[in-house]
Structures are given as structure tokens and as C-alpha cells.
Amino acid sequence: MRAEEIPRFARDFGARLRRRASASSLPSSPEDFANQAAQSLPLSGLLFFGSSLLAFGGWLSRIAAMPSITFSRRSFLAMSATLPWAFRGLASASPMKAIPVGLELYSVREALKTDPEGTVRAVAQMGYEVVEFYAPYFEWTEAQAKQMRKVMDELGIKCYSTHNNEEYLSGKNLERARDLNLILGAKYVVQAWSDPKPSLDAWKAVADNLNTAAEELEPAGLKVGYHNHQAEWAPVSGQRPIEILAKNTKASVMLQLDVGTCLEAGSDPVAWIRANPGRIRSIHCKDWSPDPTKGYKVLFGEGKADWKGIFQAAESVGGIEYYLVEQEGSQFSEMETARECLQGFRAAHGGR
């Protein structure tokens, strides 16, 4: 059984056990549980099930050592409901598809202005697998967008999201953003920023606009995202705006985490990821140093960010689909900075 099949397998298995439980066929002992499990599994899954019981950390062996045990319907249903998570743990320990790393092209903005195609080619040659275009893409003609898509296809590099000004997510602008993003092959139309708001109601209005845009883009197969800066972490009337946005937007709205601005605002990116499971589908991997002479000019891995903790949280609960390196600048040129940051990312992420 392949690793990617484990979660579906576990869900099906748990459902079979719950159906048996609802039919009053509850196990009264570990032996009965094993018998019901064997009856619930297809033949191809029997060997897998036998080995997978080890994932319970000796749970069944401890049960078997007890003189007797009685299962209530509630406890058995609860136990079977947890099986998919137990098997998911097995899946995470198995070899999985690598999460791609890309570059937010604001990092090479001067080069992009003069030679967009050449810049994307150079970024791909460095080893980046994804690019994220930012606001100037919105001025392209459809012919320019199609040419860029042709170049990306030739290079084997993807564009999973674009960064957009707030006004691009409504009215005719949203229609244009939709059309260009579909040409580029993007999945997410991300609002790149919002002006600081003086009240929680004003931030709720931002959330409402994101929801409206998400509903309008859904028929086209596109989703909406929101990218934080510092303002979203500063409390307004005792609440952080980022929490208002998370609470008042659809689950489909991606919360794209900018690590550097989160750190500068004094917040904890790991805690934020864990508090919003499944919604941190991309991360701007931008480091930051509290040293005022360095700030955002540090290369990836040279600042305050706990990258190993961030990666672990993003990949275990955050729902991460792709990473994006972003750099404000450094002592090196734009291109050399992008290259150095990719090397730093690979070193921190296990040499990918």
C-alpha cells in the first residue's frame, strides 16, 4: 500500500467498524475487536493492518495483558473514529511527496521589471520550483500572460498564486484577475495587504470582501488568500486583526503566513500555524533579525525564525502546499540573494 493511500484506507476502515458498532456488534474483548477488524478489512489490507497496529505504541498489547475488558458503544465508536489519525501518523513517517519551494518575485523585482521571461528562467535554473507574481502582473495583456505560461511550461516551473492589491478583489478587477490567474495556472488569488484599520468592524469588512471574492472565484476553480504584514498582529480593541480575519473568513480562504512580519510584530509563527490547522497552505519564508542594523536584510536562516519548528508545524497540521522564499534585500545582488536563500532553505529543510 502506498503512503498516500493510508489516510483514505484508514477512514474506510474506521467507517466499517462504526457501521458494525451501530448494528450492535460491539466487541467485548480484544479478541473480538481483532476478529471484527479482520472481517472489516479487504484481503489486501490484512497484512498492512497487522503491521500498522504497532503505531498505537503498544496499546493493544497492554489491553491484552489485562484480565478482562468491556467496551461501551460510546468508547468503541470514539476509538474507531481516531483510527484515521493513527494511520495518518504512519503516513507522515513514510516517504511522501516533497513540498515545492518557490520564490516570491518581489525578491527580484528590479530584474523582473527589465526582463520578466529572463528572470523566470534564471529563477528556475537556480532550482526554484514555483514563482509567485506580484501586483505588476495585473497590467499584462492576455497575450503576455499566455507567453509567460508557455515559458513556465517549458521550464517545468509553476505559479500557484499571485499577489494582488486590495482593489483587485472586487468588481471588474476581480474578473480580470480571475482570467489572468487561470492563464498562469494559479490556484490562489492572494490579497497582498490591507491598510491598517482603526476598528474590528473595519477588519470584519475585509473578511467579508474576501468571502465575497471567494464565492465569485469558486466556479472558476480558484481560491482566495490573505497575506499578513505587521498591522494584522497589533491588537485592536484587545483583539488581533489576524484573528478576526481567520474567524470570519471561509475555511477555503488561505491564510498565507509572512514569517518575518509576524516575528517583527512580536508574535509566534509556530503557535499561529498550530492554531489554524489546514489554512496555512503557503508561507513566505522571510527571515528577520531584531538587530536594527540588519532587520529584513538577513539571508534565510540568519535571523530569528525557528525554521525547523515552522516546517514541522506547517507539514503536520498547517496544510502547507508550497513554500515561497521572499527577501527584501541583502548585501548581495537580487539574483545572488535568491540563490543564497534557496541554499539556506535546503539546508534547514533537510537538503531538499
Side-chain angles (χ1 to χ4, degrees), residues 39-69:
Q39 294 170 21
S40 299
L41 287 167
L43 182 60
S44 62
L46 288 174
L47 289 176
F48 172 76
F49 175 72
S51 61
S52 296
L53 290 178
L54 296 175
F56 290 97
W59 181 83
L60 284 180
S61 63
R62 292 196 298 272
I63 291 289
M66 296 178 184
S68 64
I69 186 169

Side-chain angles (χ1 to χ4, degrees), residues 15-338:
R16 291 190 185 98
L17 292 182
R18 289 192 292 274
R19 284 197 294 272
R20 287 183 178 274
S22 64
S24 299
S25 181
L26 293 175
S28 59
S29 69
E31 290 78 10
D32 286 347
F33 172 75
N35 288 336
Q36 287 199 16
Q39 294 170 21
S40 299
L41 287 167
L43 182 60
S44 62
L46 288 174
L47 289 176
F48 172 76
F49 175 72
S51 61
S52 296
L53 290 178
L54 296 175
F56 290 97
W59 181 83
L60 284 180
S61 63
R62 292 196 298 272
I63 291 289
M66 296 178 184
S68 64
I69 186 169
T70 300
F71 285 88
S72 69
R73 183 185 303 277
R74 182 184 298 273
S75 63
F76 180 69
L77 289 173
M79 179 186 67
S80 63
T82 66
L83 284 172
W85 296 100
F87 282 96
R88 183 173 293 183
L90 274 182
S92 65
S94 304
M96 299 291 282
K97 182 179 179 181
I99 296 168
V101 55
L103 183 69
E104 160 54 57
L105 292 175
Y106 180 77
S107 307
V108 289
R109 50 197 173 278
E110 296 304 324
L112 194 69
K113 287 178 186 177
T114 58
D115 185 3
E117 290 183 24
T119 301
V120 172
R121 290 184 187 278
V123 167
Q125 288 169 0
M126 291 178 196
Y128 285 102
E129 303 157 271
V130 181
V131 291
E132 183 177 70
F133 294 102
Y134 70 107
Y137 91 95
F138 192 78
E139 304 302 323
W140 292 350
T141 64
E142 288 196 2
Q144 287 175 306
K146 288 177 180 177
Q147 175 59 26
M148 182 60 75
R149 175 63 184 273
K150 180 181 177 182
V151 170
M152 290 193 298
D153 287 346
E154 290 173 355
L155 296 169
I157 198 168
K158 304 291 185 182
C159 171
Y160 290 137
S161 55
T162 59
H163 262 207
N164 300 265
N165 293 341
E166 191 165 18
E167 63 267 24
Y168 295 176
L169 270 74
S170 59
K172 292 293 183 181
N173 283 339
L174 184 60
E175 294 178 12
R176 177 168 176 75
R178 175 200 63 200
D179 294 344
L180 290 173
N181 276 267
L182 288 174
I183 292 170
L184 293 170
K187 297 169 62 178
Y188 296 99
V189 179
V190 179
Q191 182 172 326
W193 61 277
S194 183
D195 288 328
K197 305 290 189 271
S199 68
L200 295 180
D201 285 341
W203 282 107
K204 288 178 182 176
V206 175
D208 290 342
N209 190 60
L210 291 169
N211 287 333
T212 299
E215 291 172 2
E216 293 184 21
L217 290 177
E218 186 176 2
L222 292 168
K223 296 181 180 180
V224 166
Y226 186 86
H227 177 91
N228 68 267
H229 285 83
Q230 292 92 334
E232 290 83 356
W233 305 100
V236 175
S237 300
Q239 255 189 302
R240 296 186 302 180
I242 193 71
E243 294 168 338
I244 297 298
L245 295 176
K247 181 180 178 181
N248 291 279
T249 50
K250 297 172 176 288
S252 64
V253 175
M254 172 177 67
L255 302 174
Q256 187 183 67
L257 173 62
D258 184 302
V259 172
T261 56
C262 175
L263 290 171
E264 185 183 20
S267 292
D268 181 351
V270 173
W272 178 248
I273 294 168
R274 294 194 177 281
N276 293 276
R279 297 196 64 183
I280 316 297
R281 292 171 221 137
S282 71
I283 292 177
H284 272 214
C285 298
K286 179 169 64 180
D287 221 328
W288 175 80
S289 170
D291 183 338
T293 65
K294 297 179 180 179
Y296 290 109
K297 301 298 183 181
V298 292
L299 297 174
F300 182 97
E302 295 181 353
K304 184 180 179 181
D306 171 18
W307 290 112
K308 291 191 181 298
I310 289 168
F311 293 149
Q312 199 281 330
E315 293 173 29
S316 62
V317 299
I320 192 72
E321 296 175 8
Y322 56 103
Y323 293 108
L324 292 163
V325 168
E326 184 186 12
Q327 188 70 22
E328 299 284 347
S330 78
Q331 60 179 312
F332 303 106
S333 69
E334 285 184 339
M335 288 297 182
E336 184 58 29
T337 296

